[in-house]
Amino acid sequence: MKFYILIAGLVTSTLSNAQDTLTRSSHVNFIPTSFSNSFSLNLPAVLKIHSGDTIATETIDAAGFDKNGVKRQKGGNPLTGPFYIENCQPGDVLAITITKILLNRGTAFTTESFSSRSLPKEINQVTKKVRLVKWRLDTLNGLAILNDSSYEHLKDFKIPLRPFIGCIGVAPANKKNEILSFFQGNFGGNLDFEKIAQSATLYLPVFHEGGYLFIGDGHALEGDGEIAGNALETSLDVEFTVRVIRKEILSIIFPRVEDSTYLMSIGTAKTLDGAVKIATAGLLDWVQHDYHLTFQEATQVMSTSIEYAIAEIADPNVEVVAKIKKEVLKQMKR
């Protein structure tokens, strides 16, 4: 295995006694010096990597502040990247396994608000001005603690930490080959789905040579839908492994997620029913392909066992996740 440390654009490497072959994997420590506010093909790659490589890096928060509280980029979900994956071609699938997520500071923020989709307008008008709310992150005990004395009835309010990556995606295939980092779609993007956490694998369709992978928008935790318009926003140390799956082996249209418990298909659209249809179709294709089910057989498996999550309603698109437990699928041969 080859180990790299990259600081300010310089790479050093030490080779172990293991044989150096074309199938080797490398571990790269990458310290970003710049950030992007879009998923884009029009930016120079910050690093070129190979299928099988593991990257250890960091993100800054949605407002552009790093782990030391220094403003590094304008707000709006700044991203680390793009990472160029060698021999990754349009039509391939990029599998990103998140091997480690660590909170790297003791603070987070959210907003005192509800998104317009989450409440009737006459109720939501109560909030006239959006206010930032600070939280303290107790990583030793795994708790997020409300750090705002103005809430009389929430003096001891605390929630278990569930850190995850809010933004992860590749360069999209629209006319400009880029999109601002608060959007999501078939390229991934601002997914804000809490299951994209440590040990999960995200599968993304690839639209351009090299893929151009970005990550960012660290979250300490979030309820379904991100109904405040923000999660508990913070910065992260992240480690992930990339793997290229050739289009001859697997072809997908929208993102998928897999963890130890679920197979999950993501659908995004302007409307809830549109997102449900995309998510359900993606999961149908997955179980039919992997378990060789007929359409009729799939109706029985999915109608008895499917679960849905509304992952995002605060952004321009609605995001729905269709899920099925692996325990259910164990009854069939994969």
Side-chain angles (χ1 to χ4, degrees), residues 4 75 95 175 222-223 278 286 296 309 314:
Y4 292 92
K175 290 182 180 179
E222 175 192 287
I278 292 170
W286 199 347
Q296 290 74 20

Side-chain angles (χ1 to χ4, degrees), residues 301-314:
V301 174
M302 291 178 60
S303 66
T304 56
S305 304
I306 198 168
E307 300 174 37
Y308 288 102
I310 301 176
E312 180 59 77
I313 59 173

Side-chain angles (χ1 to χ4, degrees), residues 31-99:
I31 300 175
T33 57
S34 61
F35 303 89
S36 167
N37 287 90
S38 64
F39 295 90
S40 178
L41 186 69
N42 306 317
L43 295 170
V46 298
L47 186 66
K48 290 189 175 183
I49 58 179
H50 293 82
S51 182
D53 285 353
T54 297
I55 313 301
T57 189
E58 59 190 48
T59 71
I60 57 179
D61 71 24
F65 290 89
D66 67 11
K67 60 187 176 184
N68 299 312
V70 177
K71 182 80 168 180
R72 301 283 299 279
Q73 179 77 359
K74 66 180 181 179
N77 297 341
L79 305 169
T80 300
F83 298 95
Y84 182 99
I85 300 92
E86 298 280 10
N87 300 315
C88 182
Q89 299 296 326
D92 291 342
V93 173
L94 188 62
I96 307 105
T97 300
I98 302 165
T99 52

